[in-house]
Every structure is written in structure tokens, then in C-alpha cells.
Amino acid sequence: MERRTLLRAAVLGGSSAVFGGTLWRGAAYAAPAQPGAGPYGALGAADANGVRLPSGFTSRVIARSGQTVTGTSYTWHNAPDGGACYADGSGWIYVSNSEINPSGGASAVKFSSAGAVTGAYRVLSGTRQNCAGGRTPWNTWLSCEEVSLGYVYETDPWGVNAAVRRDAMGRFKHEAAAADPVRKAVYLTEDETNGCLYRFVPTTWGNLSAGTLQVMVAGTATSGSFTWANVPDPDGSPTTTRTQVSGSKKFNGGEGCHYADDTVWFTTKGDNRVWQLNLAANTYELAYDDSLVTSGTAPLTGVDNITGSASGDLFVAEDGGNMEICVITPNDVIAPFLRIDGQSGSEITGPAFSPDGTRLYFSSQRGTSGSSSGGITYEVRGPFRS
């Protein structure tokens, strides 16, 4: 669904609005009469799992770090992070990274058509601090290492084929990946204070073993046009990839990345922004910037992982803040969709929808303990907009 070029986002629960893009003039904008009530309504009281949800939605715990996944003999990994879902016959699979160093890797949980857990297993081992990543159109999971000179690993969500390191996709502090089947490219974020946005153009679409790594080139403004330039040495040593191309656009802590309808959305945690790239027009602008909130409380703090639903809604997870997943609608309304109570030392990670769009999976990376061994992976079910 096409999004407007100028964001006019009602800040629900506050008394002001966010206007994104260079046309913002700080004009007043009235908050809705029912604060906190977005397209799904206001959040209710915390349920038995400590999750606050709109009416009609329920949560359940799927897995806990260090404990066997219910109905299986598999022990769930620590610090669950980025994730994605895959259709599996009449059921589906949820893949989740482990952001620990050393070890890291990724695991998967398999579900029946009724949503019952039918299996759990490891899909990637022996890697470092696997933070986010992305799903490919050919049903593999790109697991990204968030370390200096980190790699991207292409993994099999079914755990049948061995994971493959994709050196051509560059060595840097990888965060997330988003595949674009129209331009046949994969967009990559970099979690550095002066990081870049990259795209990898494979020689053959569907085969990531060879191709060209490029970096976004643009001015210093928060909106404008952009181009792509080849990174001379994707290996990143001795010169880091982010410093090899003059004029490469710098972003403060690249995090989540999502592609849909000729648009890439990605987040930068260092300045609490959501960016959008119009790939058809080769232009970029802000979709959300909490520094433009002039009164009240910013609806999003610590922006991190991002995903989208069939309705065109964006779901943005918070790293810290008040532990919310917020929704940004195609009409640019921003509101909390869920909140987790009693876990202020954690962050929300890995939001991903089941193939039929009726269930949302995500994790609290450190749970109530504030430790990587306290991670909790959840499922939320309910009447999501289609």
C-alpha cells in the first residue's frame, strides 16, 4: 500500500503530532479524543503473561531461554532476537536468532495448522551475536552477525541444509536485511553510529554466493534523492566498508529493515528515527522522528526491529522505552499495539507474522531477569487488520 510522502502522525496518548520530512513546520495537530486508542483500540490490563493487549487479542508463551520448548526436547537459545515466519504445508515455522557472543546462531519452532508446537531445532551454530536478519523470497533466513567484520549466513528454516556464509554480502556490523524481488536486491543495515545503508545485488537472483555490494550515497539532509555506489572492498579490511565511498549517507545505529511495495523502511536507534526509501523515485525521507514531538510523550522510543502486515501497517519494536510494539498505519497514525509490564531491563525483538497473518511472534530478549538467559518468546493471536 502506498504511503504518503509527508507523514502526519497523530501521537496517541500525547497532545501533539509528529510531522516527518523537510516540509514539517511544527504546526499544531490535535490528539484524538481517546488517548492511546489506535486502530486496535486502547491497551487493556496485563494478562497472565504480563502482556497488555487490545480487546480481542490473547498471548501465550512459546519458549523460554534455557528451557525445553513445550512438547519437544529442544532447549531454547539465550537472547532471542530477529525472526521470521515460513509456510510449512498447512503449518508454519518461526525462526529466531540468538544475540550472544560467542555461540549465537539461530533456532526454529515448527507449528501445526492449529498452532500447536510440533518441533524445535537448531538451524545455525558457531556464529557470533546474531542480532537481526531477513527472510528471502526463496524461503531462507539471512542471519546477521552484529560484530565488527561480521558476516551474513544463509540458513535453512527447516534445518535440513547446512548454513552457508555469504562473504560477498560484505563484512561489517550487520543488523537487518530486507529482500526486494522487483529490483532483485537485498538491503542491509549497519549498527554503527556512522553506519551506512547497503544493498547487495546478486549476480543471479536467488543465489547469494556472488554479486555486488553497494552503499547509499546522499546528502546530509533528512530527505532528498539518493544513488548507489559500489563498495570497492566488501571484505572491509583494512578499510571499513562505511568509509570507502565518498558521499556515503551516514545513519546513527541502523537497526530493523522491511521491504514492501517499492519502499524500504528502516530504523536508526541512535536518533530514534524511522526512515523510508521510495525505490521507484530514488528518494528518501523520515517516516518518524521523536525529536519533532513538541509536547506529550513520544510514542516510540528505542526504535528497533520492524515488520509489516497485509494491511500495510508497520509494527515497530522498542529496545527499552516502555517495552512496546507500536503500529504505524498507512494513514500515519502511530499508537502502541502491545506493552510488556515488569521487564524494563529487556527489549522487544523479532516481530513476525504467521503466513495467514493471524498470529504475531516476538521475543523479550532478557525477560524479567534482565539477563540473556531470561529470554521469552511469545505469540499474540487476534483480529489483525487485513
Side-chain angles (χ1 to χ4, degrees), residues 24-341:
W24 178 73
R25 294 290 183 269
Y29 191 84
Q34 188 180 7
Y40 292 102
L43 301 183
D47 64 12
N49 299 316
V51 183
R52 298 182 61 188
L53 294 162
S55 177
F57 289 85
T58 59
S59 77
R60 67 167 170 162
V61 172
I62 297 301
R64 295 179 182 271
S65 296
Q67 299 182 23
T68 55
V69 178
T70 302
T72 78
S73 59
Y74 183 74
T75 301
W76 197 236
H77 56 258
N78 288 347
D81 206 283
C85 282
Y86 300 81
D88 178 45
S90 59
W92 60 91
I93 295 168
Y94 177 65
V95 173
S96 169
N97 278 344
S98 175
E99 194 187 9
I100 57 174
N101 188 7
S103 296
S107 303
V109 179
K110 185 176 286 192
F111 299 87
S112 71
S113 58
V117 174
T118 60
Y121 45 90
R122 173 71 59 159
V123 299
L124 176 65
S125 300
T127 55
R128 303 171 296 162
Q129 204 159 320
N130 297 76
C131 193
R135 185 181 184 276
T136 69
W138 49 93
N139 290 325
T140 59
W141 168 245
L142 301 180
S143 185
C144 298
E145 289 184 315
E146 189 196 1
V147 293
S148 178
L149 298 178
Y151 289 102
V152 175
Y153 289 82
E154 187 170 17
T155 70
D156 175 14
W158 285 263
V160 175
N161 300 309
V164 180
R165 196 177 76 190
R166 296 304 189 190
D167 295 17
M169 300 185 78
R171 296 189 69 188
F172 52 89
K173 201 172 183 181
H174 282 278
E175 185 68 38
D180 172 3
V182 178
R183 279 146 289 270
K184 298 181 178 179
V186 179
Y187 304 92
L188 303 159
T189 56
E190 181 178 26
D191 193 0
E192 298 276 8
T193 55
N194 62 338
C196 293
L197 181 72
Y198 303 86
R199 76 171 183 179
F200 178 70
V201 183
T203 303
T204 303
W205 185 236
N207 183 345
L208 301 178
S209 62
T212 303
L213 182 68
Q214 299 178 318
V215 66
M216 179 180 168
V217 175
T220 58
T222 54
S223 66
S225 60
F226 68 89
T227 58
W228 298 101
N230 292 350
V231 176
D233 181 18
D235 183 64
S237 181
T239 304
T240 60
T241 55
R242 65 185 182 278
T243 58
Q244 292 181 26
V245 176
S246 176
S248 57
K249 176 72 173 173
K250 304 304 180 186
F251 295 97
N252 189 352
E255 293 287 342
C257 192
H258 173 68
Y259 168 86
D261 301 325
D262 293 325
T263 305
V264 169
W265 288 272
F266 66 97
T267 63
T268 50
K269 189 169 61 181
D271 48 18
N272 214 53
R273 288 170 166 174
V274 181
W275 301 79
Q276 63 183 76
L277 271 60
N278 182 328
L279 299 171
N282 284 334
T283 59
Y284 71 96
E285 64 180 322
L286 287 172
Y288 172 76
D289 183 359
D290 78 340
S291 70
L292 302 183
V293 178
T294 56
S295 62
T297 301
L300 272 170
T301 54
V303 297
D304 204 307
N305 290 173
I306 184 171
T307 193
S309 67
S311 66
D313 292 335
L314 299 175
F315 288 77
V316 185
E318 291 186 337
D319 179 351
N322 52 3
M323 286 289 288
E324 290 180 343
I325 293 180
C326 288
V327 60
I328 305 178
T329 75
N331 294 326
D332 299 322
V333 172
I334 302 178
F337 169 72
L338 66 79
R339 182 184 303 156
I340 299 178
D341 286 347

